[in-house]
Amino acid sequence: MRRLSAEARLLDVVDLHDSDRIVTFLSPEWGTKRGVAKGAKRKFSRFGGQLQLLSKAVVGWFEKDHVDLVRIESVELVEPPGELLSDLEGILIGSYMAEHLREFAQENEDRSEEHTSELQSRTNLVCRLLLEKKKR
């Protein structure tokens, strides 16, 4: 078992059992990863408020060989989604964008710096366009 950490974009958060959640995240170094955040649904969780769709966070996880799901140890919010998810239209476009990122990014894929910066610039452009549209 090895411990890894990377800055990532949270693409999906799904409930699992009574107190756990499955989190899908995309990092430049590791591609798409899926992991279990144990106790994330509890009232006094160490993940409290950190697992927000499309937020940028530093994710720490443990990984075993030949196991699909990793065990998420920590999530530290770097950049919240902000006004992007403040209304129905923003939620719709944000969900659409997250779904496409999940589909196109492969698991354990080492992304080149050029591809990562292009993906990040497209994400930022969509966020800016949404914010400008909301201001009108």
Side-chain angles (χ1 to χ4, degrees):
M1 184 178 339
R2 59 185 177 159
R3 185 189 188 291
L4 301 167
S5 180
E7 190 170 280
R9 209 42 97 172
L10 302 182
L11 301 180
D12 196 18
V13 179
V14 179
D15 290 346
L16 175 71
H17 300 300
D18 292 334
S19 62
D20 305 334
R21 289 196 166 144
I22 294 180
V23 179
T24 305
F25 56 95
L26 173 68
S27 72
E29 299 88 12
W30 300 98
T32 303
K33 289 282 189 186
R34 289 183 48 182
V36 177
K38 291 214 176 262
K41 289 172 54 177
R42 290 191 184 132
K43 188 174 182 178
F44 298 107
S45 168
R46 65 177 177 249
F47 301 108
Q50 306 290 317
L51 301 176
Q52 300 175 23
L53 182 67
L54 289 179
S55 61
K56 188 185 285 188
V58 176
V59 181
W61 70 92
F62 288 101
E63 185 174 79
K64 289 183 180 179
D65 293 335
H66 310 295
V67 178
D68 291 338
L69 290 175
V70 298
R71 185 170 60 91
I72 297 177
E73 176 194 36
S74 64
V75 176
E76 295 178 31
L77 197 62
V78 174
E79 178 186 315
E83 293 182 25
L84 177 64
L85 303 178
S86 64
D87 66 353
L88 187 58
E89 184 179 5
I91 292 170
L92 176 68
I93 293 173
S95 298
Y96 179 78
M97 192 166 53
E99 183 178 342
H100 273 68
L101 288 172
R102 274 195 318 269
E103 291 297 320
F104 290 123
Q106 299 297 313
E107 195 164 332
N108 294 326
E109 180 182 10
D110 187 14
R111 299 201 167 273
S112 67
E113 189 68 34
E114 179 182 305
H115 188 273
T116 302
S117 63
E118 179 184 336
L119 188 63
Q120 187 66 31
S121 65
R122 286 183 182 180
T123 305
N124 291 338
L125 176 65
V126 170
C127 291
R128 273 187 272 139
L129 290 173
L130 284 172
L131 290 175
E132 286 176 14
K133 187 174 183 177
K134 286 182 186 182
K135 289 179 183 177
R136 290 185 213 160

